[in-house]
Amino acid sequence: MTTTIHLHTRFQVGPVDPRVFGGFLEHLGRAVYQGVYQPGSKHADSKGWRTDVIEALDRLQFTAMRYPGGNFVSGYHWMDGVGPRNERPTVRDLAWSSLEINEVGTNEFMDLSRKLNWTPMLAVNLGTGTPEEARNWVEYCNIPCGSKYADLRIGHGFEHPHQVKLWCLGNEMDGPWQIGHVPADAYAIRAQQAARMMKMTDPDLELVVCGSCAPDLPTYLHWDRTVLEHVRDDVDYISLHRYVGNEKDDTPDFLAVTKSIDEQIEETAALCRFVQRARKTRKRINLSFDEWNVWYRARSGDDVDGRGKLAPHLLEEHYNLEDAVVVMGFLNSFVRHADVVKIANLAQIVNVIAPILTRGDEMLIQSIFYPIEMMTKRRTGTSLQVAVEGPTYESKSYGKTQFIDSSAIMNGNTISVFAANRDIEKVTTVRIKVADVAIESLIDAEILVGQGPKDANTFEAPNRVQSQPFDKVCIKNGVAEFEMPPLSMFAGTFQI
Ligand code: AHR
């Protein structure tokens, strides 16, 4: 079996926004407490950050980091998380039935963001919070001095503004589970008021309005249309969320889900164009895919109910090889749609549906870590159109599907190609042809191979699924060729 990936250096989709390789840290389960922050750990630095976790996160080079939620944010009051720690209240988080001690808040998150070179992306509370509370937070973060909240920040020991330019107007407000959920037009009015006050406080903000958080909700696209018709010129991005899973234990079908991610992006982008045209506005709204991942096992019962505890074990998904292939599929889809997807956030980064798990002082790198690492290293440049010519299979839910899922990024005289082999049985020969230039040489490449779809890393066997350097690429007459084992992932950079 042979698949050819056809590229042309002039057939460009658009520059890949680095923020597409973003992450998400929510006050949920053990993401913050016992995840990034654990003062009692032997790995803790002087501020309580876990240095082992930080080193692992550093390898993923996350860009935009969304914080502090998620469902959590719809009941969160940012003032609870600033000022002297011994004066901060312990409160009940209703979203995850947990206890929140507020030891980590805005200033601590900013400290972590600076350490890891993250672009902070704060979500305001539009569930129980007010537009005014949202704009006060902008003042606290961004205004140098001379007014109430700016001076409060200075009083808390932070003389220089944090300069947070990227903000989300609430979270999943279309979801009936969301605290403060309202119909689309009611949310849109709230979002518009918040957006205007926030931009009056700092005109340089970029704002993300809540779009549909799942394509299977009955309000999918209707919600987006109503919201955009109200807020159009006040916001810059509309959000999309997506969690997928292999509930039916049908691996080929699960692996084909990437096709529906393409569709979700294309449908939402089309809706944005429609509203733009219908309302005769020149402003383009782009997409912020600000929650995405595989999540289906730890999704009900005790896995989502914190039972009033601090840092309960919630949403602790254990990932395997097939999940990693789907994760590469998400990223391939974002790269293929670089013209419209400008921000995307892996949900989440530690312990909660995450590539990294902690257990006491131990840390485990899960399978999904690797495709992210393989791609983020090679993320700089312009996305090229990818024409994949090769064998296909019939997926029950998504129809005809290419075995090879791919994307490509050109950066000067180099092209990086990403490919996932969805064939669970056969080796596939992959050829890369760039129509207008010859591939000169391989600069470097990695491959991820496992022992079957359910192969996974555990604390007892932590290195079963991991990427390794790969040089078995043959370049002849300007065409690259290599073999991909079943269910494998490739990322390679070529000189052209
Ligand atoms: O990421 C976990 C949860 O999934 C988030 O809190 C929520 O926004 C989504 O439903």
Side-chain angles (χ1 to χ4, degrees), residues 400-430:
K400 193 171 158 186
T401 304
Q402 290 280 350
F403 279 111
I404 297 292
D405 181 57
S406 185
S407 67
I409 298 175
M410 180 172 71
N411 186 19
N413 288 336
T414 69
I415 294 183
S416 292
V417 176
F418 311 104
N421 184 7
R422 294 189 267 217
D423 196 321
I424 59 173
E425 286 165 354
K426 293 193 213 77
V427 173
T428 300
T429 301
V430 173

Tab-separated table of all heavy atoms in Angstrom, residues 400-430:
chain	number	residue	atom	x	y	z
A	400	LYS	N	-16.165	7.449	3.700
A	400	LYS	CA	-14.867	7.156	3.083
A	400	LYS	C	-13.740	7.986	3.735
A	400	LYS	O	-13.825	9.224	3.804
A	400	LYS	CB	-14.969	7.504	1.601
A	400	LYS	CG	-13.855	6.980	0.771
A	400	LYS	CD	-14.198	7.191	-0.697
A	400	LYS	CE	-12.955	7.194	-1.526
A	400	LYS	NZ	-13.206	7.539	-2.907
A	401	THR	N	-12.715	7.290	4.180
A	401	THR	CA	-11.656	7.943	4.960
A	401	THR	C	-10.282	7.503	4.452
A	401	THR	O	-10.024	6.313	4.275
A	401	THR	CB	-11.793	7.536	6.458
A	401	THR	OG1	-13.113	7.863	6.891
A	401	THR	CG2	-10.779	8.223	7.333
A	402	GLN	N	-9.396	8.445	4.247
A	402	GLN	CA	-8.011	8.125	3.882
A	402	GLN	C	-7.330	7.450	5.073
A	402	GLN	O	-7.505	7.894	6.210
A	402	GLN	CB	-7.236	9.424	3.583
A	402	GLN	CG	-7.632	10.129	2.321
A	402	GLN	CD	-6.989	9.489	1.094
A	402	GLN	OE1	-6.110	8.634	1.216
A	402	GLN	NE2	-7.451	9.889	-0.067
A	403	PHE	N	-6.518	6.427	4.800
A	403	PHE	CA	-5.759	5.841	5.910
A	403	PHE	C	-4.758	6.850	6.469
A	403	PHE	O	-4.520	6.905	7.651
A	403	PHE	CB	-5.020	4.577	5.446
A	403	PHE	CG	-5.907	3.367	5.422
A	403	PHE	CD1	-6.279	2.782	4.227
A	403	PHE	CD2	-6.386	2.824	6.613
A	403	PHE	CE1	-7.107	1.666	4.209
A	403	PHE	CE2	-7.210	1.703	6.599
A	403	PHE	CZ	-7.575	1.133	5.395
A	404	ILE	N	-4.172	7.639	5.590
A	404	ILE	CA	-3.173	8.619	6.054
A	404	ILE	C	-3.826	9.991	6.241
A	404	ILE	O	-4.472	10.515	5.328
A	404	ILE	CB	-1.998	8.723	5.047
A	404	ILE	CG1	-1.257	7.390	4.945
A	404	ILE	CG2	-1.042	9.849	5.438
A	404	ILE	CD1	-0.483	6.955	6.179
A	405	ASP	N	-3.644	10.515	7.447
A	405	ASP	CA	-4.135	11.864	7.769
A	405	ASP	C	-2.900	12.762	7.842
A	405	ASP	O	-1.909	12.389	8.487
A	405	ASP	CB	-4.848	11.819	9.125
A	405	ASP	CG	-5.413	13.168	9.508
A	405	ASP	OD1	-6.215	13.715	8.738
A	405	ASP	OD2	-5.041	13.690	10.584
A	406	SER	N	-2.950	13.929	7.212
A	406	SER	CA	-1.708	14.684	7.079
A	406	SER	C	-1.892	16.202	7.105
A	406	SER	O	-2.988	16.721	6.852
A	406	SER	CB	-1.064	14.276	5.742
A	406	SER	OG	0.177	14.882	5.602
A	407	SER	N	-0.807	16.896	7.405
A	407	SER	CA	-0.759	18.352	7.226
A	407	SER	C	0.702	18.724	6.979
A	407	SER	O	1.604	17.894	7.189
A	407	SER	CB	-1.309	19.092	8.451
A	407	SER	OG	-0.466	18.904	9.561
A	408	ALA	N	0.930	19.961	6.530
A	408	ALA	CA	2.304	20.363	6.200
A	408	ALA	C	2.496	21.854	6.448
A	408	ALA	O	1.578	22.650	6.240
A	408	ALA	CB	2.597	20.039	4.732
A	409	ILE	N	3.700	22.193	6.899
A	409	ILE	CA	4.032	23.602	7.179
A	409	ILE	C	5.354	23.933	6.478
A	409	ILE	O	6.356	23.232	6.675
A	409	ILE	CB	4.171	23.842	8.699
A	409	ILE	CG1	2.838	23.547	9.412
A	409	ILE	CG2	4.631	25.266	8.984
A	409	ILE	CD1	2.900	23.645	10.936
A	410	MET	N	5.335	25.008	5.687
A	410	MET	CA	6.556	25.440	4.998
A	410	MET	C	7.151	26.632	5.749
A	410	MET	O	6.433	27.556	6.134
A	410	MET	CB	6.213	25.861	3.565
A	410	MET	CG	7.428	26.312	2.795
A	410	MET	SD	7.035	26.577	1.066
A	410	MET	CE	6.039	28.040	1.168
A	411	ASN	N	8.462	26.588	5.933
A	411	ASN	CA	9.134	27.687	6.620
A	411	ASN	C	10.436	27.978	5.869
A	411	ASN	O	11.411	27.249	6.020
A	411	ASN	CB	9.413	27.267	8.074
A	411	ASN	CG	9.983	28.408	8.891
A	411	ASN	OD1	9.856	29.581	8.524
A	411	ASN	ND2	10.622	28.073	9.994
A	412	GLY	N	10.431	28.996	5.020
A	412	GLY	CA	11.610	29.281	4.192
A	412	GLY	C	11.895	28.110	3.273
A	412	GLY	O	11.020	27.666	2.520
A	413	ASN	N	13.098	27.566	3.389
A	413	ASN	CA	13.487	26.436	2.527
A	413	ASN	C	13.255	25.083	3.187
A	413	ASN	O	13.935	24.105	2.847
A	413	ASN	CB	14.958	26.551	2.142
A	413	ASN	CG	15.142	27.677	1.142
A	413	ASN	OD1	14.199	28.046	0.431
A	413	ASN	ND2	16.333	28.239	1.111
A	414	THR	N	12.356	25.052	4.129
A	414	THR	CA	12.053	23.751	4.743
A	414	THR	C	10.554	23.502	4.705
A	414	THR	O	9.752	24.443	4.702
A	414	THR	CB	12.501	23.684	6.223
A	414	THR	OG1	11.667	24.544	6.997
A	414	THR	CG2	13.953	24.058	6.400
A	415	ILE	N	10.231	22.218	4.660
A	415	ILE	CA	8.814	21.837	4.800
A	415	ILE	C	8.737	20.743	5.855
A	415	ILE	O	9.479	19.750	5.790
A	415	ILE	CB	8.224	21.297	3.472
A	415	ILE	CG1	8.183	22.408	2.415
A	415	ILE	CG2	6.813	20.743	3.694
A	415	ILE	CD1	7.555	21.980	1.088
A	416	SER	N	7.845	20.952	6.832
A	416	SER	CA	7.592	19.892	7.818
A	416	SER	C	6.299	19.197	7.444
A	416	SER	O	5.301	19.854	7.126
A	416	SER	CB	7.473	20.477	9.224
A	416	SER	OG	8.725	20.976	9.623
A	417	VAL	N	6.337	17.871	7.485
A	417	VAL	CA	5.146	17.084	7.134
A	417	VAL	C	4.766	16.230	8.344
A	417	VAL	O	5.630	15.658	9.011
A	417	VAL	CB	5.424	16.187	5.907
A	417	VAL	CG1	4.215	15.304	5.599
A	417	VAL	CG2	5.774	17.054	4.697
A	418	PHE	N	3.468	16.188	8.607
A	418	PHE	CA	2.942	15.401	9.721
A	418	PHE	C	1.990	14.365	9.138
A	418	PHE	O	1.146	14.703	8.306
A	418	PHE	CB	2.195	16.302	10.705
A	418	PHE	CG	2.994	17.527	11.072
A	418	PHE	CD1	2.684	18.781	10.528
A	418	PHE	CD2	4.089	17.431	11.910
A	418	PHE	CE1	3.447	19.896	10.827
A	418	PHE	CE2	4.861	18.542	12.218
A	418	PHE	CZ	4.541	19.783	11.675
A	419	ALA	N	2.126	13.126	9.596
A	419	ALA	CA	1.252	12.085	9.039
A	419	ALA	C	0.913	11.071	10.121
A	419	ALA	O	1.765	10.691	10.930
A	419	ALA	CB	1.951	11.384	7.875
A	420	ALA	N	-0.345	10.674	10.139
A	420	ALA	CA	-0.778	9.613	11.058
A	420	ALA	C	-1.324	8.477	10.204
A	420	ALA	O	-2.128	8.709	9.293
A	420	ALA	CB	-1.862	10.153	11.988
A	421	ASN	N	-0.879	7.258	10.502
A	421	ASN	CA	-1.376	6.093	9.776
A	421	ASN	C	-2.542	5.488	10.562
A	421	ASN	O	-2.350	4.936	11.648
A	421	ASN	CB	-0.257	5.053	9.604
A	421	ASN	CG	-0.728	3.871	8.765
A	421	ASN	OD1	-1.834	3.891	8.214
A	421	ASN	ND2	0.095	2.843	8.666
A	422	ARG	N	-3.759	5.600	9.980
A	422	ARG	CA	-4.943	5.100	10.686
A	422	ARG	C	-5.186	3.619	10.434
A	422	ARG	O	-6.170	3.073	10.921
A	422	ARG	CB	-6.171	5.897	10.236
A	422	ARG	CG	-6.102	7.348	10.649
A	422	ARG	CD	-7.397	8.062	10.393
A	422	ARG	NE	-7.415	8.705	9.112
A	422	ARG	CZ	-7.994	9.877	8.864
A	422	ARG	NH1	-8.583	10.528	9.836
A	422	ARG	NH2	-7.984	10.407	7.654
A	423	ASP	N	-4.308	3.019	9.629
A	423	ASP	CA	-4.482	1.584	9.371
A	423	ASP	C	-4.013	0.823	10.608
A	423	ASP	O	-2.866	0.972	11.035
A	423	ASP	CB	-3.655	1.193	8.137
A	423	ASP	CG	-4.096	-0.155	7.593
A	423	ASP	OD1	-4.394	-1.046	8.425
A	423	ASP	OD2	-4.144	-0.309	6.365
A	424	ILE	N	-4.914	-0.012	11.164
A	424	ILE	CA	-4.517	-0.685	12.408
A	424	ILE	C	-3.805	-2.013	12.145
A	424	ILE	O	-3.356	-2.677	13.065
A	424	ILE	CB	-5.723	-0.905	13.359
A	424	ILE	CG1	-6.826	-1.741	12.709
A	424	ILE	CG2	-6.286	0.427	13.817
A	424	ILE	CD1	-7.942	-2.095	13.691
A	425	GLU	N	-3.700	-2.370	10.843
A	425	GLU	CA	-3.075	-3.668	10.542
A	425	GLU	C	-1.852	-3.573	9.643
A	425	GLU	O	-0.891	-4.313	9.799
A	425	GLU	CB	-4.097	-4.583	9.849
A	425	GLU	CG	-5.126	-5.105	10.811
A	425	GLU	CD	-6.322	-5.683	10.101
A	425	GLU	OE1	-6.390	-5.575	8.860
A	425	GLU	OE2	-7.179	-6.220	10.792
A	426	LYS	N	-1.906	-2.671	8.668
A	426	LYS	CA	-0.874	-2.731	7.620
A	426	LYS	C	0.136	-1.589	7.666
A	426	LYS	O	-0.188	-0.459	8.058
A	426	LYS	CB	-1.552	-2.712	6.244
A	426	LYS	CG	-2.363	-3.972	5.989
A	426	LYS	CD	-2.739	-4.057	4.517
A	426	LYS	CE	-4.086	-4.716	4.332
A	426	LYS	NZ	-5.247	-3.893	4.620
A	427	VAL	N	1.321	-1.945	7.184
A	427	VAL	CA	2.359	-0.934	6.975
A	427	VAL	C	1.982	-0.156	5.709
A	427	VAL	O	1.502	-0.743	4.737
A	427	VAL	CB	3.722	-1.636	6.760
A	427	VAL	CG1	4.795	-0.627	6.380
A	427	VAL	CG2	4.115	-2.415	8.006
A	428	THR	N	2.181	1.144	5.727
A	428	THR	CA	1.903	1.943	4.534
A	428	THR	C	3.187	2.639	4.080
A	428	THR	O	3.919	3.190	4.916
A	428	THR	CB	0.838	3.031	4.840
A	428	THR	OG1	-0.337	2.379	5.262
A	428	THR	CG2	0.531	3.884	3.632
A	429	THR	N	3.445	2.604	2.807
A	429	THR	CA	4.559	3.386	2.264
A	429	THR	C	4.028	4.790	1.988
A	429	THR	O	2.997	4.950	1.328
A	429	THR	CB	5.061	2.751	0.948
A	429	THR	OG1	5.458	1.416	1.248
A	429	THR	CG2	6.213	3.529	0.354
A	430	VAL	N	4.734	5.785	2.514
A	430	VAL	CA	4.295	7.172	2.302
A	430	VAL	C	5.325	7.873	1.421
A	430	VAL	O	6.530	7.776	1.672
A	430	VAL	CB	4.142	7.917	3.647
A	430	VAL	CG1	3.844	9.398	3.423
A	430	VAL	CG2	3.032	7.279	4.477
